[in-house]
Amino acid sequence: NAGVTQTPKFQVLKTGQSMTLQCAQDMNHNSMYWYRQDPGMGLRLIYYSASEGTTDKGEVPNGYNVSRLNKREFSLRLESAAPSQTSVYFCASSRGETQYFGPGTRLLVL
Amino acid sequence: EDQVTQSPEALRLQEGESSSLNCSYTVSGLRGLFWYRQDPGKGPEFLFTLYSAGEEKEKERLKATLTKKESFLHITAPKPEDSATYLCAVQASGGYALNFGKGTSLLVTP
């Protein structure tokens, strides 16, 4: 099993550009999550999906949209990137309460 | 509001020098307390879940314990490969998000 995979690994955007971060899991988990990690701060939840077809906002949802494409895939979209969205983004999945994380996408917005 | 504080922020140990990392928390009903290990440039790797005060879990040189207000991650006779950032997170009853601390950066020197 690959676990949780994320693409791309690294991306540079200009302010105002859009992009979609992809996440997939092969563990047959129902729930999936998007977090961001910034220096000096803990990981913060952006969006959450309890199951296919449902999504909920987390602590820092502004500027982001998500799509739960199917049970395996959960994407995060930045419609108009801002420098404040420079961060490392982690996708996670869980069946019960334990969350398993992907390797991350490093995003730099200039 | 749920809060997680980890101390120290950074810890340097000699190989074989045992020590403990602290995670203090406040949460409105604890569903679980989680410990993760994160290596530079990687995603958090799950270590332990603790559910109730008095519970202990062990894995190789690591032992996690839980009280009603804090958790400790004890590292016995550490090796250089134990160098990483250790993250603590709590999940409230009825919640889904993990509330993370800022982490403890551990360096073990030969």
Side-chain angles (χ1 to χ4, degrees):
Chain A
N1 286 352
V4 179
T5 57
Q6 294 183 236
T7 55
K9 291 183 179 179
F10 181 71
Q11 184 73 45
V12 180
L13 291 179
K14 294 181 179 179
T15 296
Q17 288 185 318
S18 62
M19 80 161 294
T20 299
L21 284 66
Q22 306 286 353
C23 173
Q25 52 92 9
D26 62 1
M27 297 178 282
N28 200 34
H29 287 169
N30 291 323
S31 301
M32 297 185 74
Y33 313 78
W34 277 105
Y35 289 86
R36 61 178 287 172
Q37 186 175 39
D38 301 294
M41 304 188 73
L43 284 98
R44 293 179 293 169
L45 184 68
I46 305 171
Y47 267 95
Y48 157 73
S49 172
S51 61
E52 185 179 350
T54 68
T55 60
D56 287 295
K57 294 179 180 179
E59 180 184 353
V60 289
N62 291 344
Y64 305 96
N65 286 302
V66 291
S67 295
R68 183 73 183 268
L69 305 170
N70 48 56
K71 190 171 185 177
R72 290 186 63 250
E73 299 173 288
F74 189 36
S75 63
L76 179 71
R77 183 160 178 84
L78 286 70
E79 292 291 351
S80 179
S84 60
Q85 294 179 304
T86 292
S87 188
V88 182
Y89 292 86
F90 290 102
C91 178
S93 70
S94 70
R95 188 199 302 270
E97 64 279 350
T98 301
Q99 296 181 20
Y100 298 89
F101 286 79
T105 294
R106 296 181 176 276
L107 177 65
L108 175 62
V109 183
L110 301 175
Chain B
E1 184 179 316
D2 300 346
Q3 197 163 10
V4 179
T5 304
Q6 292 189 245
S7 60
E9 289 185 13
L11 182 62
R12 183 181 181 125
L13 299 174
Q14 288 249 303
E15 185 172 3
E17 179 187 2
S18 301
S19 187
S20 297
L21 312 183
N22 178 262
C23 173
S24 297
Y25 67 93
T26 56
V27 64
S28 53
L30 180 69
R31 183 180 183 190
L33 184 140
F34 305 82
W35 282 99
Y36 287 84
R37 168 190 171 129
Q38 187 173 25
D39 293 299
K42 303 286 181 66
E45 175 189 347
F46 171 71
L47 293 174
F48 304 109
T49 306
L50 302 169
Y51 297 99
S52 58
E55 189 174 1
E56 300 182 351
K57 289 193 175 173
E58 289 188 66
K59 180 180 179 180
E60 297 180 357
R61 294 176 293 282
L62 300 177
K63 179 180 177 180
T65 62
L66 181 65
T67 73
K68 288 187 178 179
K69 293 183 178 180
E70 56 191 351
S71 177
F72 292 94
L73 185 65
H74 307 278
I75 304 176
T76 302
K79 298 182 178 182
E81 52 262 43
D82 294 322
S83 298
T85 295
Y86 291 85
L87 303 174
C88 173
V90 297
Q91 188 177 51
S93 298
Y96 48 82
L98 292 181
N99 189 348
F100 280 88
K102 296 179 182 180
T104 293
S105 177
L106 174 65
L107 176 64
V108 183
T109 58

